[in-house]
Structure formats: structure tokens, C-alpha cells
Amino acid sequence: MKQTNKVALLPEVYDFLDVLAQTLLEKDYVSYIEHGENIGHKLGFPTANIQLPDFHVVPKFGVYITKAKVGGKWYKAITNVGGKPTVGTNKPCIETYMLDFENDIYGEEIEIEFYHYLRPISKFENIEALKKQLAQDKESARVYFNEK
């Protein structure tokens, strides 16, 4: 097999691994939304903050395309699993930004389904670079769900 053929197969392998990971993770995570540090809100990307579970398998740290269910309704979302090095917070957590959603949902139950790994957690040069990346992540989620 030529090297170019191996490279062409990589997306299919990654898709398979995504499906396998979702199966092993039971595809979703259910918890209650907690108050965070309001960093996402200040950036224009308010997030639902969730503690990492003590005895539950979580995906590898990074940013994912997800869906979040709150109040019986599903929303397209992006989810960070891990720390937030750009703002100096390395304590692992799960935080979900729901597209086209602006309600106050502290204390409510949230269910998160993981669909696609987008990228690893990164420390950006400044807040503006982080905001730009979050906007790109948001657009990636829109494209992902529009193609499905």
C-alpha cells in the first residue's frame, strides 16, 4: 500500500475510533449545572459548568462537538473537557457552550452527548485569540450538524 493510501484512510479510522469511544462512554454524561467563574460569559460564550465525575469514564481532555439536553430540549453545543490554561485555570472540569441558547439554567440537570473530537486544549496568546478559536469551534459544530 502506498503512503498516500494510508493517509487517505486516516479520517475513516478516526471516525471509527470516535464511534468506539462514544460506545465505551455510553455516549452521554448526565449531571447538574454549577456556578463557574463566569469566564465564558465575559468572553461572550456562556457555558454550563459541570464537575468531572469521580467514578465515571470521561473522554480525553480536549474540545468536542456535542449536544446538550436541558429542560427536555436538545441543543447543538461545543464542550471543553479539562483545564482552561489561557485564563490560568488548570483544574479539570467539563463546560458546555450551547449554540443559540441564553437561559439561566444553574442547578438544572444537563445531559451531554459527545459526537466529535475537535482539538486538544491549548493555551492561547491572549483572550482575543481564544475568542477567535471559540468562534471557529462554534462554526465547526454548525457545519458538523448541518452535514449529518
Side-chain angles (χ1 to χ4, degrees), residues 18 22 27 64-67 113-117 144-145:
D18 276 346
Q22 290 169 13
K27 198 172 178 181
Y64 291 82
I65 293 173
T66 57
K67 282 190 177 177
E113 287 188 344
F114 290 82
Y115 285 84
H116 179 72
Y117 179 84
Y144 178 87
F145 287 118

Side-chain angles (χ1 to χ4, degrees), residues 29 45 47-52 58-66 77-87 89-98 112 114 116-124 130 133-134 137:
Y29 176 67
F45 291 87
T47 58
N49 299 289
I50 305 152
Q51 285 291 334
L52 280 173
V58 294
K60 116 178 159 174
F61 287 0
V63 179
Y64 291 82
I65 293 173
T66 57
I78 53 176
T79 299
N80 179 71
V81 179
K84 300 173 271 189
T86 304
V87 296
T89 304
N90 290 316
K91 180 182 176 191
C93 68
I94 298 174
E95 54 183 351
T96 297
Y97 169 76
M98 293 174 277
I112 301 171
F114 290 82
H116 179 72
Y117 179 84
L118 267 180
R119 63 179 176 82
I121 294 173
S122 302
K123 182 172 183 175
F124 295 92
L130 172 60
Q133 181 61 56
L134 291 172
D137 294 344

